[in-house]
Amino acid sequence: MRRRSVANLFRLNVGSGMGWIDGWVNCDLYPGPHVDEVFDCQGKWPFPDNSVQDITSSHMLEHLSDPKAFFREAWRVLIPNGAVALRVPYGGHRAAWYDLEHKRPWFAESFAFVQPGYAKSVGNPQHDGWEWPFAVDCCDYRLGFRVAPYFRRRWLRALFLPWVSCVPDWCEELYVYLSALKTPDAVDTWCRSHSPNLIPSRYVVLRHHLEGKRPKPGDTSELIPIAELDSINGYI
């Protein structure tokens, strides 16, 4: 069993499947050659409180019947301000539902329930009692490979960007970044400058999709915010 740590803190890849990450503890419900820890992430995680620096999970959350259990345990094991990075199919894309094992679609706003003050802001008592607060730092809407090349030129961006939210299938994935708020001071500071029912978000594209190229073996997937393209040479 390979346990990896950074400065005595774990970094967890939850729902790793065959997507092993070197230097991380790769965790999954099912054993396999690339799995370091086997457990159900909707139950008790085999890590102490405040022992984890980072958590990443790719295309796993949509398979959970009880996603709140995932966030409760993630919050418990994370250090204060520990980071969570999630990838899920965008709820408006067909990928949110074409896998028979998917339990629910996810939208950017779906993640607002973890933020302090959410129950009061929406007036829904079902959310009262949430005691495991996170800040949703950003949610990236990744545009699909078919539409991404249309954003290479400024005039095309100006033409197509207003319509992105009107064509749900143009967006394929959400990349969601959260941090654990584990002290009263952290919660209070966050509440003074944020609205609990709002999620900061932006549109992004993968560079190789933008350029209409196939990634080469070993290439890293680079996400580029649409708003930054005006300042990058070659995309004006």
Side-chain angles (χ1 to χ4, degrees):
M1 183 178 301
R2 298 163 297 191
R3 285 216 173 205
R4 313 284 182 169
S5 65
V6 176
N8 298 319
L9 295 172
F10 295 112
R11 307 179 80 184
L12 307 184
N13 177 20
V14 181
S16 58
M18 294 179 287
W20 182 76
I21 303 177
D22 188 26
W24 293 58
V25 183
N26 297 279
C27 313
D28 203 85
L29 179 62
Y30 303 102
H34 301 299
V35 177
D36 304 315
E37 290 280 359
V38 177
F39 63 92
D40 184 352
C41 68
Q42 298 173 99
K44 182 80 170 181
W45 295 14
F47 302 95
D49 296 359
N50 304 302
S51 64
V52 173
Q53 172 178 295
D54 298 290
I55 295 171
T56 188
S57 185
S58 179
H59 288 257
M60 184 277 296
L61 201 64
E62 66 272 17
H63 292 266
L64 300 184
S65 299
D66 185 10
K68 288 186 176 181
F70 169 87
F71 286 104
R72 284 194 295 266
E73 279 296 285
W75 187 91
R76 179 185 67 80
V77 302
L78 282 166
I79 61 173
N81 209 41
V84 180
L86 303 171
R87 285 176 66 184
V88 294
Y90 172 57
H93 192 273
R94 67 192 71 180
W97 283 118
Y98 60 48
D99 188 326
L100 296 181
E101 298 300 324
H102 288 183
K103 304 299 183 183
R104 69 184 67 241
W106 286 86
F107 299 85
E109 296 81 2
S110 302
F111 294 90
F113 82 92
V114 300
Q115 298 190 138
Y118 178 72
K120 183 178 180 180
S121 70
V122 298
N124 186 345
Q126 287 181 304
H127 294 285
D128 282 342
W130 181 253
E131 300 175 357
W132 305 269
F134 287 84
V136 182
D137 300 314
C138 186
C139 180
D140 288 345
Y141 292 80
R142 183 183 67 75
L143 302 183
F145 71 95
R146 290 184 177 88
V147 69
Y150 292 108
F151 290 84
R152 292 177 62 179
R153 295 289 178 264
R154 182 178 293 167
W155 70 272
L156 285 173
R157 292 196 290 275
L159 178 64
F160 282 98
L161 195 57
W163 296 96
V164 170
S165 62
C166 301
V167 189
D169 218 35
W170 280 3
C171 179
E172 290 186 353
E173 279 186 299
L174 299 179
Y175 289 66
V176 188
Y177 307 97
L178 309 91
S179 52
L181 302 173
K182 301 201 68 171
T183 67
D185 284 345
V187 170
D188 183 62
T189 298
W190 186 90
C191 288
R192 286 201 302 267
S193 58
H194 294 81
S195 296
N197 60 336
L198 298 181
I199 301 297
S201 59
R202 59 186 182 174
Y203 292 112
V204 301
V205 290
L206 287 165
R207 181 180 289 275
H208 64 270
H209 287 170
L210 183 69
E211 297 175 351
K213 298 178 180 178
R214 290 179 177 269
K216 297 178 182 178
D219 284 354
T220 57
S221 298
E222 181 185 358
L223 285 173
I224 304 177
I226 295 293
E228 295 180 9
L229 288 175
D230 286 352
S231 62
I232 299 177
N233 289 337
Y235 300 117
I236 58 176

